[in-house]
Amino acid sequence: MSKLNKEEVLQQLNDAYLAKHGKTPEIEQKGSWFKVDGGKSLRLGDLADMVKELTGGAESVDAAPKAEPKKSEPAKKAAPKKAAKVSGNGGMSPKQLWAQKLAQGSTLPRGHR
Protein backbone atom coordinates (compact mmCIF):
# COMPACT_ATOMS: atom_id res chain seq x y z
CA MET A 1 0.00 0.00 0.00
CA SER A 2 1.27 3.44 -0.79
CA LYS A 3 1.24 6.22 1.74
CA LEU A 4 -1.70 8.59 1.25
CA ASN A 5 -1.22 12.35 1.02
CA LYS A 6 -4.03 14.15 2.84
CA GLU A 7 -4.10 17.21 0.58
CA GLU A 8 -4.17 15.10 -2.60
CA VAL A 9 -6.93 12.82 -1.33
CA LEU A 10 -9.07 15.76 -0.18
CA GLN A 11 -8.59 17.56 -3.51
CA GLN A 12 -9.50 14.39 -5.44
CA LEU A 13 -12.55 13.93 -3.23
CA ASN A 14 -13.66 17.53 -3.84
CA ASP A 15 -13.27 17.12 -7.60
CA ALA A 16 -15.03 13.74 -7.76
CA TYR A 17 -17.85 14.85 -5.44
CA LEU A 18 -18.37 18.04 -7.44
CA ALA A 19 -18.53 16.08 -10.69
CA LYS A 20 -20.95 13.51 -9.25
CA HIS A 21 -23.26 15.69 -7.11
CA GLY A 22 -22.80 19.17 -8.57
CA LYS A 23 -21.70 20.75 -5.28
CA THR A 24 -18.59 20.75 -3.13
CA PRO A 25 -18.72 18.63 0.02
CA GLU A 26 -18.41 20.03 3.52
CA ILE A 27 -15.45 18.19 5.02
CA GLU A 28 -14.86 18.46 8.76
CA GLN A 29 -11.65 17.13 10.28
CA LYS A 30 -11.27 16.10 13.90
CA GLY A 31 -7.89 14.54 14.56
CA SER A 32 -7.38 11.87 11.92
CA TRP A 33 -11.12 11.43 11.29
CA PHE A 34 -13.08 13.18 8.54
CA LYS A 35 -16.82 13.82 8.13
CA VAL A 36 -18.20 14.43 4.65
CA ASP A 37 -21.41 16.51 4.72
CA GLY A 38 -21.95 15.71 8.40
CA GLY A 39 -22.07 11.97 7.73
CA LYS A 40 -20.24 9.11 9.35
CA SER A 41 -16.64 9.67 10.54
CA LEU A 42 -14.14 8.18 8.10
CA ARG A 43 -10.38 7.68 7.98
CA LEU A 44 -8.22 8.96 5.13
CA GLY A 45 -8.12 5.51 3.53
CA ASP A 46 -11.92 5.42 3.51
CA LEU A 47 -11.95 8.80 1.76
CA ALA A 48 -9.57 7.41 -0.87
CA ASP A 49 -11.97 4.49 -1.38
CA MET A 50 -14.84 6.97 -1.69
CA VAL A 51 -12.90 8.80 -4.42
CA LYS A 52 -12.44 5.52 -6.30
CA GLU A 53 -16.16 4.81 -6.04
CA LEU A 54 -17.15 8.29 -7.18
CA THR A 55 -14.80 8.22 -10.16
CA GLY A 56 -15.40 4.55 -10.96
CA GLY A 57 -19.07 5.08 -11.69
CA ALA A 58 -20.52 3.44 -8.55
CA GLU A 59 -24.18 4.45 -8.21
CA SER A 60 -24.24 4.63 -4.43
CA VAL A 61 -21.32 5.27 -2.11
CA ASP A 62 -23.01 3.35 0.72
CA ALA A 63 -24.17 0.34 -1.31
CA ALA A 64 -20.83 -0.90 -2.64
CA PRO A 65 -18.77 -1.07 0.60
CA LYS A 66 -21.53 -2.86 2.53
CA ALA A 67 -21.91 -5.63 -0.05
CA GLU A 68 -18.23 -6.61 -0.15
CA PRO A 69 -17.45 -7.02 3.60
CA LYS A 70 -20.46 -9.30 4.13
CA LYS A 71 -18.95 -11.83 1.73
CA SER A 72 -15.52 -11.84 3.37
CA GLU A 73 -16.61 -11.61 7.04
CA PRO A 74 -17.43 -15.31 7.59
CA ALA A 75 -13.90 -16.29 6.53
CA LYS A 76 -12.39 -13.72 8.88
CA LYS A 77 -14.56 -14.79 11.80
CA ALA A 78 -13.67 -18.48 11.41
CA ALA A 79 -9.91 -17.93 11.57
CA PRO A 80 -9.79 -16.05 14.92
CA LYS A 81 -11.95 -18.71 16.61
CA LYS A 82 -9.39 -21.36 15.73
CA ALA A 83 -6.54 -19.14 16.88
CA ALA A 84 -8.36 -18.21 20.11
CA LYS A 85 -8.30 -21.81 21.36
CA VAL A 86 -4.50 -21.81 21.44
CA SER A 87 -3.45 -19.00 23.72
CA GLY A 88 -0.04 -17.81 24.85
CA ASN A 89 -0.34 -19.52 28.26
CA GLY A 90 -0.71 -23.06 26.91
CA GLY A 91 -4.52 -23.09 26.85
CA MET A 92 -4.90 -22.88 30.63
CA SER A 93 -7.62 -21.06 32.46
CA PRO A 94 -6.51 -18.14 34.67
CA LYS A 95 -7.08 -20.28 37.76
CA GLN A 96 -4.85 -23.06 36.39
CA LEU A 97 -2.16 -20.57 35.35
CA TRP A 98 -2.02 -18.99 38.82
CA ALA A 99 -1.90 -22.43 40.44
CA GLN A 100 1.13 -23.24 38.28
CA LYS A 101 2.82 -19.91 39.09
CA LEU A 102 2.21 -20.41 42.83
CA ALA A 103 3.68 -23.92 42.62
CA GLN A 104 6.85 -22.40 41.13
CA GLY A 105 7.23 -20.05 44.10
CA SER A 106 5.48 -16.88 42.90
CA THR A 107 3.15 -14.89 45.12
CA LEU A 108 -0.38 -13.73 44.46
CA PRO A 109 -0.83 -10.20 43.11
CA ARG A 110 -1.72 -7.41 45.53
CA GLY A 111 -5.21 -7.61 46.96
CA HIS A 112 -5.53 -11.40 46.61
CA ARG A 113 -3.90 -12.61 49.83
Side-chain angles (χ1 to χ4, degrees), residues 21-96:
H21 299 288
K23 65 174 188 167
T24 57
E26 293 179 29
I27 300 174
E28 300 174 31
Q29 181 180 2
K30 190 170 191 179
S32 61
W33 293 90
F34 298 89
K35 284 187 177 185
V36 179
D37 286 338
K40 194 166 113 176
S41 294
L42 303 168
R43 292 281 189 170
L44 190 61
D46 297 328
L47 292 180
D49 292 340
M50 185 184 286
V51 169
K52 288 179 186 176
E53 291 173 5
L54 289 173
T55 58
E59 290 181 18
S60 174
V61 173
D62 295 332
K66 289 182 182 177
E68 291 177 24
K70 288 181 182 178
K71 294 177 184 176
S72 63
E73 281 183 24
K76 288 182 182 179
K77 287 182 181 177
K81 288 181 182 177
K82 291 178 185 175
K85 291 180 183 177
V86 180
S87 62
N89 60 13
M92 295 183 224
S93 70
K95 187 175 184 178
Q96 292 169 335

Side-chain angles (χ1 to χ4, degrees), residues 9-17 27 36 47 50-51 54:
V9 172
L10 291 177
Q11 183 60 43
Q12 292 172 355
L13 178 66
N14 278 333
D15 295 341
Y17 196 91
I27 300 174
V36 179
L47 292 180
M50 185 184 286
V51 169
L54 289 173

